[in-house]
Amino acid sequence: MSRVLVTGAASGLGAALVARFVADGHQVLGTDVYEDGSGGTAYRKLDVRSPEEWDAAVAWCEENWGGLDILVNNAGVATGGRIEVETLDEWDRVVDINLMGVVRGCRAFVPLFKRQRSGYIVNTASAAGLVHPPMMSSYNTVKAGVVALSETLAHELGPYGVTVSVVCPSFFRTNLADSIRGADSAMATTARQLIEKSPRSADEIAAAVVAGINKKQHLIIPDRPARAAYWTKRVARPLYDRQMRRIADRAHQRAETPDGR
């Protein structure tokens, strides 16, 4: 039985991961920005933008559990848009939550993991961290940063017995679209449609993620479309580039149409 902390646990993939860990018999602390979101397990408020709240989470784990085994940095928001339309405030928001939120979580718990000489960090990135569709520059950038951070820490923390994985799913059904804010309404509409019409559920993604964790896979790509896109980029780059150009052409047409369709 492991002691697990999950951020962004009140809904979506975070809630599905909590349910999966609990079903497998683990002790789980769910955290989110909301005051209450327990869902039947231990819960505390944690805004990943707050170093003080991260420190309080570490203290809770030490006081109540005597440590932690698995940290799941899952909290995040959706964003995107054309480079000249998306505002710098939107960039600041997604960097602060999706990238620096992960950085803060790692910084908070690594000293504990080093003292234990054990631990497991699981960072939720996205297929957008591996392949980079047009009109998603801010989201692609922060998720690629999470991928790079995870690889760096896997090497850096290995001598201390700490394992690091990074999770890179494609679109799946969740309430992530509710977090989209921004000036580029045409791109926001497209992102919402891709999320809401996906045939994959958060529960399915969570099951694949936990299976990857159990195997200690560094790169966990939990669904077929994400794997296909990643391998196309790696082994068939001309095909990948043609696909990206088609996406850009369709997005351009939608953006230039008055009703955004």
Side-chain angles (χ1 to χ4, degrees):
M1 180 175 67
S2 295
R3 303 159 295 181
V4 186
L5 185 153
V6 180
T7 68
S11 61
L13 180 58
L17 286 169
V18 168
R20 178 65 56 173
F21 280 122
V22 170
D24 289 348
H26 302 298
Q27 290 181 291
V28 183
L29 173 63
T31 72
D32 211 305
V33 70
Y34 308 107
E35 291 292 344
D36 183 22
S38 59
T41 189
Y43 177 86
R44 65 178 292 117
K45 178 181 178 295
L46 171 56
D47 184 340
V48 298
R49 295 169 294 185
S50 169
E52 293 78 17
E53 292 188 16
W54 273 114
D55 290 343
V58 175
W60 188 97
C61 291
E62 292 186 297
E63 292 167 9
N64 290 273
W65 287 345
L68 186 72
D69 299 304
I70 304 175
L71 168 66
V72 183
N73 285 308
N74 171 75
V77 295
T79 186
R82 290 160 288 178
I83 188 65
E84 80 280 14
V85 179
E86 190 175 13
T87 69
L88 292 179
D89 285 343
E90 293 164 28
W91 272 87
D92 288 342
R93 173 175 176 259
V94 72
V95 169
D96 199 19
I97 297 172
N98 288 20
L99 178 56
M100 294 307 299
V102 175
V103 171
R104 293 185 191 99
C106 294
R107 281 178 53 83
F109 274 95
V110 160
L112 170 62
F113 287 161
K114 284 186 173 182
R115 290 196 300 272
Q116 293 178 165
R117 308 293 296 188
S118 67
Y120 200 149
I121 297 171
V122 181
N123 295 328
T124 299
S126 165
L130 303 173
V131 299
H132 307 127
M135 285 68 174
M136 292 177 57
S137 56
S138 63
Y139 195 73
N140 293 346
T141 299
V142 295
K143 292 303 186 179
V146 173
V147 172
L149 172 67
S150 301
E151 181 180 337
T152 302
L153 294 184
H155 299 308
E156 181 177 328
L157 301 178
Y160 297 91
V162 179
T163 302
V164 181
S165 292
V166 60
V167 179
C168 296
S170 63
F171 293 104
F172 58 95
R173 294 191 309 278
T174 181
N175 62 344
L176 184 64
D178 295 338
S179 67
I180 299 174
R181 304 174 191 170
D184 200 336
S185 58
M187 296 306 104
T189 298
T190 299
R192 179 178 290 276
Q193 291 172 345
L194 289 168
I195 293 169
E196 294 177 349
K197 294 182 179 180
S198 171
R200 293 167 295 281
S201 70
D203 290 339
E204 291 169 332
I205 298 298
V209 170
V210 172
I213 292 170
N214 290 338
K215 296 176 183 176
K216 293 192 173 182
Q217 295 174 343
H218 172 67
L219 179 59
I220 301 174
I221 307 179
D223 60 275
R224 184 175 296 176
R227 290 192 293 271
Y230 176 60
W231 285 106
T232 299
K233 182 177 181 179
R234 289 192 57 147
V235 304
R237 185 58 186 253
L239 175 59
Y240 168 82
D241 288 339
R242 286 197 297 273
Q243 291 173 337
M244 293 300 109
R245 285 194 293 270
R246 283 197 293 268
I247 293 170
D249 288 341
R250 290 196 298 268
H252 170 73
Q253 292 169 5
R254 286 194 298 269
E256 296 300 318
T257 301
D259 63 2
R261 289 189 230 166

